[in-house]
């Protein structure tokens, strides 16, 4: 029960609240201010993604459980929001492909990490992958604001969609990069 792990639990707990706010606003036709609540909670959850790792390192509270749970929390947050935004219609048409690329990459990298972990091979997170996550989170924040944001600045949704495509491109590159770095371990294992 270290602070870094509590922050990760908080990120997971935020998911149903964010999804519930968007569901209530969009599907149940509730007021637009619910989008701002979703954005605020999402931003708080995204900030915990940075803080949990930061505190774990500076306080030397890194744990196997935290290393396992942190990326799961990230993927749950991103996937849940992307699915809700697709159901909401904010992500639609060609932009669905960007969301599909992001979700497929997350599954591919998770499976690769799991397999390589069984071989006791570590796959470190690259700086570019951290940038990819940042762009993804910012894109989702803009998209969660959606129509409420468009009332303030008419291009909020368009900025979110452009950032979603940028993160999809980074996602493809980092996914390929992870796969390329892990493939020689897969080939070596088959040769044994």
């Amino acid at each position: 029960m270290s602070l870094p792990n509590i922050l990760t639990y908080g990120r997971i707990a935020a998911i149903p609240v964010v999804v519930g706010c968007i569901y209530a606003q969009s599907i149940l036709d509730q007021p637009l201010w619910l989008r701002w609540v979703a954005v605020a909670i999402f931003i708080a959850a995204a900030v915990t993604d940075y803080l949990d790792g930061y505190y774990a390192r500076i306080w030397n509270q890194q744990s196997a459980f935290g290393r396992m749970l942190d990326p799961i929390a990230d993927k749950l947050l991103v996937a849940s929001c992307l699915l809700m935004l697709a159901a909401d219609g904010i992500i639609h048409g060609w932009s669905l492909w960007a969301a599909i690329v992001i979700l497929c990459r997350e599954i591919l990298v998770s499976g690769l990490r799991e397999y390589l972990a069984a071989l006791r091979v570590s796959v470190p997170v690259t700086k570019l992958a951290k940038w990819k996550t940042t762009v993804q989170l910012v894109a989702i924040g803009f998209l969660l604001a959606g129509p409420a944001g468009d009332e303030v600045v008419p291009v909020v949704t368009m900025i979110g969609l452009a950032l979603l495509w940028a993160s999809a491109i980074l996602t493809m590159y980092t996914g390929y990069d992870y796969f390329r770095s892990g493939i020689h371990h897969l080939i070596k294992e088959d040769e044994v």
Side-chain angles (χ1 to χ4, degrees), residues 113-171:
R113 282 180 182 274
E114 184 178 335
Y115 179 78
L116 292 175
L119 299 177
R120 303 237 184 252
V121 175
S122 175
V123 182
V125 176
T126 65
K127 280 214 185 287
L128 189 60
K130 289 182 182 190
W131 276 105
K132 179 265 316 170
T133 300
T134 301
V135 174
Q136 242 176 39
L137 294 175
V138 172
I140 291 170
F142 272 87
L143 294 171
L144 287 172
D150 287 337
E151 284 190 352
V152 179
V153 179
V155 293
V156 166
T157 300
M158 291 306 296
I159 291 170
L161 291 172
L163 289 170
L164 186 70
W165 277 105
S167 71
I169 291 165
L170 288 171
T171 293

Side-chain angles (χ1 to χ4, degrees), residues 176-189:
Y176 171 75
D177 199 32
Y178 279 123
F179 189 72
R180 187 174 43 93
S181 67
I183 195 76
H184 74 276
H185 293 290
L186 296 170
I187 292 168
K188 205 176 355 175
E189 184 69 13

Side-chain angles (χ1 to χ4, degrees), residues 6-186:
I6 290 170
L7 290 172
T8 303
Y9 299 143
R11 190 157 66 256
I12 294 170
I15 295 167
V17 179
V18 171
V19 168
C21 285
I22 298 301
Y23 182 84
Q25 189 284 311
S26 175
I27 310 298
L28 301 179
D29 204 29
Q30 296 298 310
L32 276 179
W33 60 262
L34 284 168
R35 288 198 168 268
W36 293 117
V37 173
V39 170
I41 294 169
F42 178 79
I43 289 170
V47 168
T48 67
D49 184 28
Y50 170 76
L51 292 177
D52 62 7
Y54 174 76
Y55 287 130
R57 283 186 298 279
I58 67 166
W59 292 341
N60 199 26
Q61 292 183 339
Q62 295 171 326
S63 66
F65 184 72
R67 280 190 299 277
M68 181 268 309
L69 192 60
D70 180 59
I72 290 172
D74 298 343
K75 285 164 184 41
L76 288 173
L77 180 64
V78 167
S80 298
C81 288
L82 288 176
L83 290 171
M84 194 63 235
L85 289 164
D88 176 24
I90 294 293
I91 299 174
H92 65 282
W94 285 101
S95 295
L96 284 170
W97 287 104
I100 289 167
V101 164
I102 290 167
L103 292 174
C104 287
R105 182 265 190 199
E106 298 303 342
I107 293 167
L108 173 75
V109 170
S110 294
L112 180 63
R113 282 180 182 274
E114 184 178 335
Y115 179 78
L116 292 175
L119 299 177
R120 303 237 184 252
V121 175
S122 175
V123 182
V125 176
T126 65
K127 280 214 185 287
L128 189 60
K130 289 182 182 190
W131 276 105
K132 179 265 316 170
T133 300
T134 301
V135 174
Q136 242 176 39
L137 294 175
V138 172
I140 291 170
F142 272 87
L143 294 171
L144 287 172
D150 287 337
E151 284 190 352
V152 179
V153 179
V155 293
V156 166
T157 300
M158 291 306 296
I159 291 170
L161 291 172
L163 289 170
L164 186 70
W165 277 105
S167 71
I169 291 165
L170 288 171
T171 293
M172 285 192 295
Y173 181 80
T174 58
Y176 171 75
D177 199 32
Y178 279 123
F179 189 72
R180 187 174 43 93
S181 67
I183 195 76
H184 74 276
H185 293 290
L186 296 170

